[in-house]
Amino acid sequence: NNNKNGNNFVINNNNGLILVPSFKPTQYVYTVEVNDETINKIQFKPFTCHHDSYAIIKGELIKQWNSSRIHELLPGNNLFKINIFSSNQLNQTEYLIIFKKKLKEAKDKNNNNANLKMLTLSCGPIRPPFSSEQFIYHSHISSNVDSTTIILSTLDNNYGSITINNNAISNLRVSDPINLIYGPNRISIVVTAEDTITKNTYTIIINKDSPPIPPKASSNSKLDKLIVSYGELDLYDGNNNFRLIVPFQISCITFTPFTSNSNSLITIEDFVVMDGKMSDVFELKYGNNIIELIVLSENRQSTNKYYIHIQRT
């Protein structure tokens, strides 16, 4: 068969795309207006006048009732040549369809919006609550907070630049940690609009508490209690002398001292013993043994010496 005309063209979408003029086998040039920016692909299905005829679109052979591959539509004019061949391949007809896709509107190159939409600190809330038109904020933190990070976003995504203390940062990105010293810490955030001229500066003043004052070191060097591994000590000749009698079979002994301040320094015969902890073992000779215990106060300005007299019989 030498019939090489198309019978119809169908565009397979429901977005109102229309051939202009309406299709006729003897009309060879058409246009389609594409005003919807979301339409970015197109597909064809040819209906030829004879069932054995076929179409070729951009190098693809398409038989009667079959759909073409999907073609991309770019902004501007998209030209498609559709060649219909007769079944005996001796005759062909060329149709031309021009899809005119609406160009995207050029964005405003003179955007002068330099406001923030959101601003938060990791170290705590800001006062007053954030507002795009409020440019000075305060925050109060305790002395144990060493740093803070900042996350922010611009009111308009088309901005020029953002800096925090002169360090560049991107929209919706967490900043690097900012070290905080005791007292006021001033943080400056500069937002530059897309026009590179308009700027807004947001200032945050973070007041960090001073470190707590440590309690005054104690001057108490008294021994509250002394426990021995055998028997009980007796006080004699004042408060700084103890006495203990042990049988001959007891050849060594340990001490557990307790003071009024656990930060006192305790030594027994020059060996350091922790407050409330058992000492090393001390050997006892036959007869009288004198053991010296010294308590040095926390501020290291007061000393008490104690003597333990142990009679091994």
Side-chain angles (χ1 to χ4, degrees), residues 187-249:
I187 298 174
S188 179
I189 301 169
V190 178
V191 181
T192 303
E194 188 181 22
D195 64 6
T196 70
I197 298 173
T198 309
K199 296 184 179 183
N200 277 329
T201 300
Y202 293 82
T203 301
I204 309 170
I205 301 171
I206 302 176
N207 283 292
K208 179 177 176 178
D209 286 341
S210 298
I213 299 174
K216 186 178 180 180
S218 171
S219 61
N220 190 335
S221 61
K222 291 183 179 181
L223 183 68
D224 286 349
K225 183 169 62 172
L226 181 62
I227 298 175
V228 289
S229 57
Y230 178 88
E232 292 186 3
L233 294 169
D234 291 327
L235 281 171
Y236 83 101
D237 190 22
N239 294 326
N240 287 24
N241 287 278
F242 298 93
R243 181 172 58 190
L244 177 66
I245 298 174
V246 300
F248 181 76
Q249 62 266 31

Side-chain angles (χ1 to χ4, degrees), residues 244-280:
L244 177 66
I245 298 174
V246 300
F248 181 76
Q249 62 266 31
I250 303 300
S251 61
C252 59
I253 196 165
T254 62
F255 304 93
T256 305
F258 294 86
T259 65
S260 298
N261 191 310
S262 61
N263 291 321
S264 298
L265 178 64
I266 307 168
T267 59
I268 301 177
E269 293 295 312
D270 295 328
F271 292 96
V272 175
V273 182
M274 301 300 295
D275 185 78
K277 303 294 182 180
M278 183 183 295
S279 70
D280 291 336

Side-chain angles (χ1 to χ4, degrees), residues 32-47:
V32 179
E33 296 288 341
V34 184
N35 294 319
D36 187 345
E37 292 184 3
T38 64
I39 298 175
N40 52 27
K41 297 181 186 299
I42 201 73
Q43 190 177 37
F44 303 93
K45 180 183 289 186
F47 297 86

